[in-house]
């Protein structure tokens, strides 16, 4: 695999039983690249370790006054120099390719898993951890895959060098053969502690990243309640903990690096001291001593990958564990797989709660618990965060959990209460898979996005709102503007069943009424489920269902439920039954818009307007 061939057509099925197994799987998946890096590494390191022999031959030729021997030594050094340059260049190319391809494969696997799990991902793994895995952890995993081939080439080169010295000068070669294992394994006792310190640093960095991600996501709310300083203090504290952990980890790695310099120095002094004695005794030639001395002096170069691979493994192991944990998550299913991918149609029914959304009808669902509403909306989409053995939601009698995932998501689209707007232009935002029956203009009109388009036109260089840039998560827009653009995007998709969770919670009452009329008209004849407690939306629904304690408690028309169902009236009007009996129970002829004029609703609308103004 070359960089130009990325992305992978199929990144494969990873071994996620442990972090180490995942790293091994990545290495096996690019065996060709590993072998190329190994081959060029042997050329490079072998050429480096050939230089001492050339130098030794040259010195001995000078001592013996041999011109032919000096020319031969010069030729050997020249060939070694060319091999060093060529091997280093191609080794770097192969190693970086291994790094990038391993990181790209991991990112593809994470992206596929994210798309597979959908909203269930962030309920089982913190958003900050997902960000850490897909950014910093991916790089460290690629680093180890890249470093391993160079380490293996260096290790083989050292073995060959030691064997060569044993044949070239047995007495000094034996000394080097005894000392090299000490050099290679001398820092081994320090690695467990270095790994633990690296793990602590990674853990603290992940928590700091998660805190930063959550703070940025809730910045608008924090500004509204004056909580910026509190969260800034928390992040400073977490950042300082990361700094202190990084310093402790760096000290340990500095000690390991120092030993990598000290131990070869000790070996070099030992070899020189012993070799001088052999030369004085006439047992070896000066050139042989120079060759062995040069070999030991250069030994620190191929030993560097030993330190690097140890550091790469220490940092990549926790990263690989986190990646394996995310990749091991499975989307819970409650039905058996079906071979047919045909798009089902008909009523949407949840056996667990008893909720029925008839085909072609606008159904509004009122829940006393907003969190329960979100969980029920996820269930209706066929991808709950935790199925827990519950029966599958049925669409036209077919279990959504048993359908192919793509078919289920094409049939039912769920827009949660906090939809995400990706950065880019408005045209790119609305470029989503769709039936083609609803145009962008129609969807924007139905979602009452006229003022949003005016604002984007002013921000656009050429006055075209469709080309205007939208910042990440739509942070340049107000909450109500983001909600309406997300609603327009969902309407363009035009699914068989559209599930909306509080689609107008950040919109003022006048705009909300127009949005309700637009959605009702555009989705006529299509199944639509709206989770809301807004009287304006409820009054325009064909059917209203009250869900309490996870089960359907009542169903009917909005005005009918207001009259006969105290629990429904308490959730929708936010008043107890006693106060409602006094003045606020609507007569059959009284419009439900009057309910939205109560002081509590005026305060709510004022708060929404204040947020949009901010």
């Amino acid at each position: 695999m070359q960089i130009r061939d990325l992305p992978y057509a199929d990144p494969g099925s990873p071994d996620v039983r442990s972090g180490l197994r995942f790293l091994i799987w990545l290495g096996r998946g690019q065996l060709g690249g590993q072998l190329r890096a190994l081959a060029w590494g042997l050329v490079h390191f072998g050429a480096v370790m050939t230089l001492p022999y050339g130098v030794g031959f040259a010195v001995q030729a000078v001592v013996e006054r041999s011109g032919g021997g000096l020319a031969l030594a010069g030729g050997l050094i020249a060939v070694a120099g060319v091999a060093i340059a060529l091997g280093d260049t191609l080794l770097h190319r192969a190693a970086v390719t291994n790094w990038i391809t391993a990181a790209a494969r991991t990112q593809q696997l994470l992206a596929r898993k994210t798309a597979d799990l959908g909203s269930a991902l962030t309920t089982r793994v913190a958003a900050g951890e997902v960000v850490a895995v897909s950014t910093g952890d991916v790089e460290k995993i690629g680093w180890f895959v890249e470093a391993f081939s160079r380490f293996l080439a260096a290790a083989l080169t050292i073995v060959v060098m030691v064997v060569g010295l044993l044949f070239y000068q047995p007495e000094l070669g034996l000394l080097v053969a005894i000392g090299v294992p000490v050099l290679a394994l001398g820092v081994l006792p320090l690695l467990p502690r270095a790994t633990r310190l690296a793990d602590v640093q990674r853990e603290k960095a992940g928590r700091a990243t998660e805190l930063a991600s959550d703070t940025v996501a809730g910045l608008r709310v924090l500004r509204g309640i004056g909580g910026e300083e509190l969260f800034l203090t928390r992040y400073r504290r977490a950042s300082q903990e990361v700094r202190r952990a990084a310093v402790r980890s760096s000290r340990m790695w500095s000690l390991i690096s120092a030993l990598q310099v000290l131990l070869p120095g000790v070996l070099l002094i030992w070899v020189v001291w012993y070799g001088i004695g052999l030369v004085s005794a006439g047992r070896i030639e000066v050139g042989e001593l120079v060759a062995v001395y040069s070999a030991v002096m250069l030994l620190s170069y191929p030993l560097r990958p030993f330190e690097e691979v140890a550091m790469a493994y220490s940092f990549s192991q926790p990263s690989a564990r986190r990646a394996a944990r995310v990749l091991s998550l499975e989307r819970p299913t409650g039905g058996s797989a079906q071979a047919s991918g045909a798009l089902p149609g008909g009523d949407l029914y949840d056996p667990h709660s008893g909720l029925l959304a008839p085909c072609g009808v606008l159904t509004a669902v009122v829940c006393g618990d907003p969190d329960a509403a979100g969980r029920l909306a996820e269930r209706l989409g066929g991808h709950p965060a935790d199925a827990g053995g519950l029966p599958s939601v049925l669409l036209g009698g077919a279990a959504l959990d048993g359908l192919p995932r793509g078919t289920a998501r094409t049939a039912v689209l769920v827009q949660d209460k906090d939809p995400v707007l990706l950065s880019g232009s408005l045209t790119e935002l609305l470029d989503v898979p769709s039936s083609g029956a609803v145009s962008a203009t129609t969807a924007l009109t139905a979602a009452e996005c006229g003022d949003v388009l005016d604002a984007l036109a002013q921000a656009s260089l050429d006055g075209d709102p469709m080309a205007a840039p939208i910042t990440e998560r739509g942070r340049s827009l107000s909450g109500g503007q983001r909600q309406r653009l997300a609603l327009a995007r969902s309407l363009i998709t035009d699914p068989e069943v559209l599930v909306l969770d509080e689609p107008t919670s950040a919109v003022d009452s006048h705009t909300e009424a127009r949005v309700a009329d637009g959605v009702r008209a555009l989705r006529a004849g299509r199944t639509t489920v709206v989770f809301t407690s807004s009287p304006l939306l409820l009054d325009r629904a064909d059917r209203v269902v009250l869900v309490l304690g996870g089960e359907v408690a009542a169903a009917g028309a909005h005005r009918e439920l207001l009259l006969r169902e105290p629990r429904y009236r308490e959730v929708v009007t936010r008043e107890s039954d006693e106060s409602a009996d006094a003045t606020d129970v609507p007569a059959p002829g009284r419009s439900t818009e009057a309910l939205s004029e109560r002081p509590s609703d005026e305060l709510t609308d004022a708060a929404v307007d204040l947020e949009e103004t901010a």
Side-chain angles (χ1 to χ4, degrees):
M1 169 65 74
Q2 298 295 321
I3 296 177
R4 63 175 175 270
D5 299 323
L6 295 174
Y8 287 91
D10 179 12
S13 301
D15 187 344
V16 294
R17 288 176 290 177
S18 68
L20 179 59
R21 290 179 181 273
F22 179 64
L23 291 174
I24 294 174
W25 177 84
L26 280 177
R28 285 205 317 265
Q30 50 190 75
L31 188 59
Q34 294 289 335
L35 292 177
R36 279 193 296 273
L38 174 60
W40 289 117
L42 289 173
V43 171
H44 173 64
F45 290 117
V48 170
M49 300 313 297
T50 301
L51 286 176
Y53 296 99
V55 173
F57 291 153
V59 171
Q60 191 62 34
V62 171
V63 171
E64 297 175 355
R65 298 181 180 274
S66 172
L70 186 60
L72 181 62
L76 179 61
I77 293 174
V79 171
V82 173
I84 288 172
L86 179 64
D88 190 28
T89 301
L90 296 178
L91 169 61
H92 180 73
R93 179 185 177 90
V96 170
T97 299
N98 289 337
W99 186 337
I100 293 176
T101 51
R105 185 193 292 267
T106 305
Q107 284 182 324
Q108 278 190 255
L109 291 169
L110 290 169
R112 185 175 69 181
K113 180 60 65 174
T114 301
D116 182 36
L117 293 174
S119 59
L121 177 63
T122 52
T123 63
R124 302 169 70 179
V125 180
E129 183 171 351
V130 176
V131 173
V133 170
S134 59
T135 53
D137 285 343
V138 165
E139 291 186 7
K140 288 173 177 56
I141 290 170
W143 179 26
F144 174 74
V145 173
E146 174 263 339
F148 182 76
S149 56
R150 286 192 288 111
F151 155 73
L152 192 57
L156 291 176
T157 301
I158 291 175
V159 171
V160 172
M161 184 208 72
V162 171
V163 173
L165 286 178
L166 286 171
F167 281 100
Y168 178 70
Q169 177 35 249
E171 292 186 79
L172 290 179
L174 180 62
L175 191 63
V176 174
I178 295 173
V180 164
V182 177
L183 299 183
L185 305 177
V187 298
L188 198 60
L190 300 177
L191 290 181
R193 176 168 174 76
T195 302
R196 287 195 299 271
L197 291 175
D199 288 348
V200 171
Q201 178 191 351
R202 281 281 154 220
E203 182 182 353
K204 291 183 180 296
R207 285 203 296 264
T209 301
E210 180 181 349
L211 179 61
S213 176
D214 294 343
T215 301
V216 172
L219 190 58
R220 180 181 292 274
V221 177
L222 291 176
R223 285 176 177 170
I225 64 176
E228 308 104 302
E229 198 60 38
L230 173 62
F231 275 79
L232 181 59
T233 301
R234 289 182 181 177
Y235 182 74
R236 283 173 177 163
R237 188 183 306 117
S239 178
Q240 289 303 310
E241 290 180 0
V242 174
R243 182 189 63 80
R244 287 190 290 269
V247 169
R248 288 192 294 269
S249 179
S250 299
R251 285 173 179 166
M252 181 55 63
W253 287 111
S254 297
L255 177 59
I256 292 175
S257 299
L259 288 176
Q260 291 282 6
V261 176
L262 174 64
L263 294 178
V266 172
L267 178 61
L268 184 62
I269 294 173
W270 188 13
V271 167
V272 171
W273 177 79
Y274 185 67
I276 290 175
L278 295 178
V279 172
S280 300
R283 296 165 60 182
I284 66 172
E285 300 291 340
V286 174
E288 293 175 332
L289 175 60
V290 171
V292 175
Y293 166 80
S294 301
V296 175
M297 184 178 64
L298 291 175
L299 193 61
S300 60
Y301 181 67
L303 281 174
R304 290 178 189 172
F306 282 73
E307 175 193 352
E308 182 184 9
V309 78
M311 184 181 294
Y313 180 75
S314 297
F315 279 88
S316 66
Q317 181 69 355
S319 298
R321 282 200 303 268
R322 281 195 293 267
R325 184 156 62 89
V326 173
L327 294 175
S328 66
L329 299 177
E330 295 293 338
R331 175 176 175 262
T333 58
S336 58
Q338 297 180 4
S340 173
L343 196 64
D347 297 343
L348 184 68
Y349 177 65
D350 176 24
H352 177 65
S353 64
L355 174 62
L356 172 67
C359 179
V361 171
L362 173 59
T363 301
V365 180
V366 177
C367 286
D369 181 3
D371 293 334
R375 291 192 295 270
L376 181 53
E378 289 180 355
R379 276 186 53 74
L380 294 181
H383 42 84
D386 185 6
L390 300 179
S392 171
V393 171
L394 306 177
L395 179 59
L400 280 183
D401 286 354
L403 293 173
R405 196 160 301 126
T407 303
R409 290 185 175 176
T410 301
V412 182
L413 173 66
V414 179
Q415 176 183 305
D416 63 23
K417 65 182 65 178
D418 187 21
V420 175
L421 302 184
L422 301 178
S423 59
S425 67
L426 183 57
T427 299
E428 293 170 335
L429 176 69
L430 300 180
D431 185 15
V432 293
S434 64
S435 66
V438 179
S439 66
T441 302
T442 303
L444 290 168
T445 301
E448 285 296 318
C449 294
D451 63 317
V452 184
L453 295 177
D454 292 340
L456 291 176
Q458 294 178 1
S460 176
L461 295 177
D462 56 1
D464 181 9
M466 302 302 292
I470 296 176
T471 58
E472 183 184 2
R473 300 183 68 92
R475 292 192 177 97
S476 58
L477 304 172
S478 69
Q481 290 173 331
R482 287 197 299 271
Q483 275 193 334
R484 283 176 284 160
L485 284 181
L487 177 60
R489 180 178 59 186
S490 300
L491 293 174
I492 289 176
T493 304
D494 190 34
E496 182 69 24
V497 178
L498 177 60
V499 180
L500 304 172
D501 187 6
E502 295 289 354
T504 58
S505 59
V507 177
D508 64 86
S509 57
H510 302 290
T511 304
E512 185 179 34
R514 295 194 296 270
V515 170
D517 291 333
V519 172
R520 179 182 174 85
L522 186 61
R523 293 286 299 173
R526 308 284 273 174
T527 306
T528 306
V529 181
V530 181
F531 286 81
T532 183
S533 59
S534 167
L536 293 172
L537 289 176
L538 296 171
D539 189 46
R540 287 160 174 78
D542 299 313
R543 184 170 182 268
V544 179
V545 179
L546 174 65
V547 177
L548 296 175
E551 297 182 353
V552 172
H558 169 59
R559 302 187 185 191
E560 174 190 349
L561 291 175
L562 280 176
L563 287 173
R564 68 175 176 83
E565 182 54 64
R567 293 173 297 178
Y568 177 81
R569 188 162 55 245
E570 184 175 349
V571 174
V572 173
T573 65
R574 297 177 179 83
E575 292 185 358
S576 64
D577 193 38
E578 291 78 4
S579 59
D581 289 338
T583 57
D584 284 330
V585 178
R590 183 180 177 183
S591 69
T592 55
E593 280 80 354
L595 293 174
S596 66
E597 297 174 0
R598 293 184 179 130
S600 61
D601 288 321
E602 289 176 359
L603 289 174
T604 302
D605 294 339
V608 171
D609 292 339
L610 179 59
E611 180 190 4
E612 294 197 0
T613 302

